[in-house]
Amino acid sequence: MICYVQVRYDIKLQYPVRIKTPNAKTAKYIISQLGGPDGELAASLRYMNQRYSMKLDKVKGVLTDISTEELAHVEIISAIVYQLTQGLTPEQIKEAGFDTYFVDHTLGVYPQSAAGAPFTAAYFQSKGDPITDLTEDLAAEQKARTTYDNILRLCDDPDVRDPIKFLRQREIVHFQRFGEALRAVQEDLDTKNFYCCNPSYDCGCGRAANRMRKMR
């Protein structure tokens, strides 16, 4: 007996993007949140790679969840850039200063910064140390939030501002979740006296830990 399962696939953004007025000037700086140093693509790859060396399962879960959501944000930014550049005439493209991008990519969506630098993996780090990685993640979320602040200062189109404000809010939520994850890691490492010594290379770690406990 053969059973057939009907699968429904809905192409739906995490937040709707419906831009009525194309504007290549706006696209020029919005694109930085796709392929720029503090953009969504770098964020997703950062967290996705860091998760493998994270020891605590609940923190690994946070990194997995947020890295997946950042991919959804890549979709939103890409949709914004795409809709802002559709239907433009060559004259409008030149007037907006979008002609250098057009020569290389026509109106395809390509990850680069607002300054025109292509995306590079050098934008993020995966160190394998939980405190180091989570501290970077906290800073990354704040840098992304600041970039969205800058975009909102420059953009007055409500069709663009609404999804950008949504993305900015998600950066704040991610910052809070990474803060919780860092506290969980610190509490776990503190029980192993991580802050007074590192047992992986400090032979006197046990004696130092005892001294630290007596001083408390």
Side-chain angles (χ1 to χ4, degrees):
M1 180 178 177
I2 300 176
C3 295
Y4 294 94
V5 178
Q6 185 176 5
V7 177
R8 180 177 176 179
Y9 175 56
D10 291 328
I11 301 176
K12 185 177 180 182
L13 294 176
Q14 186 183 16
Y15 192 93
V17 177
R18 301 185 184 93
I19 297 171
K20 295 183 285 291
T21 306
N23 188 327
K25 285 185 179 179
T26 303
K28 283 181 64 178
Y29 53 80
I30 294 284
I31 204 169
S32 209
Q33 278 303 89
L34 171 61
D38 306 312
E40 304 291 357
L41 182 58
S44 179
L45 293 175
R46 175 188 295 110
Y47 310 146
M48 199 175 294
N49 284 277
Q50 288 176 354
R51 68 174 296 280
Y52 291 99
S53 55
M54 196 60 62
K55 304 302 182 186
L56 291 181
D57 285 342
K58 60 182 177 181
V59 178
K60 185 177 292 187
V62 169
L63 287 164
T64 303
D65 289 347
I66 296 180
S67 68
T68 304
E69 184 180 351
E70 301 291 13
L71 286 176
H73 296 175
V74 168
E75 284 189 296
I76 294 173
I77 292 295
S78 297
I80 292 172
V81 172
Y82 176 77
Q83 293 183 27
L84 282 171
T85 56
Q86 290 308 292
L88 296 174
T89 66
E91 290 73 23
Q92 289 172 318
I93 290 171
K94 286 190 287 186
E95 183 182 356
F98 206 66
D99 48 348
T100 53
Y101 179 96
F102 182 85
V103 168
D104 288 335
H105 311 294
T106 319
L107 293 178
V109 178
Y110 176 79
Q112 67 175 46
S113 71
F119 175 79
T120 170
Y123 287 152
F124 67 89
Q125 178 61 279
S126 179
K127 199 72 172 176
D129 179 275
I131 293 179
T132 303
D133 284 346
L134 287 169
T135 301
E136 176 178 347
D137 299 344
L138 286 163
E141 293 297 326
Q142 287 301 323
K143 286 186 285 186
R145 190 264 308 161
T146 301
T147 303
Y148 282 127
D149 284 343
N150 293 339
I151 289 172
L152 289 169
R153 290 186 180 102
L154 297 173
C155 178
D156 57 7
D157 184 345
D159 292 341
V160 178
R161 288 177 61 86
D162 283 351
I164 292 299
K165 287 191 286 187
F166 167 80
L167 292 169
R168 180 190 182 278
Q169 183 62 35
R170 294 308 299 166
E171 305 298 346
I172 295 171
V173 173
H174 293 171
F175 178 79
Q176 293 169 338
R177 291 196 67 194
F178 281 134
E180 294 165 0
L182 179 59
R183 287 190 289 274
V185 166
Q186 289 172 323
E187 289 171 4
D188 177 66
L189 290 175
D190 191 50
T191 63
K192 303 179 179 65
N193 299 292
F194 180 87
Y195 288 107
C196 68
C197 59
N198 190 323
S200 64
Y201 55 76
D202 189 344
C203 296
C205 187
R207 293 191 298 274
N210 289 331
R211 287 197 298 271
M212 289 294 293
R213 279 195 293 268
K214 292 177 181 178
M215 292 173 64
R216 291 179 179 175

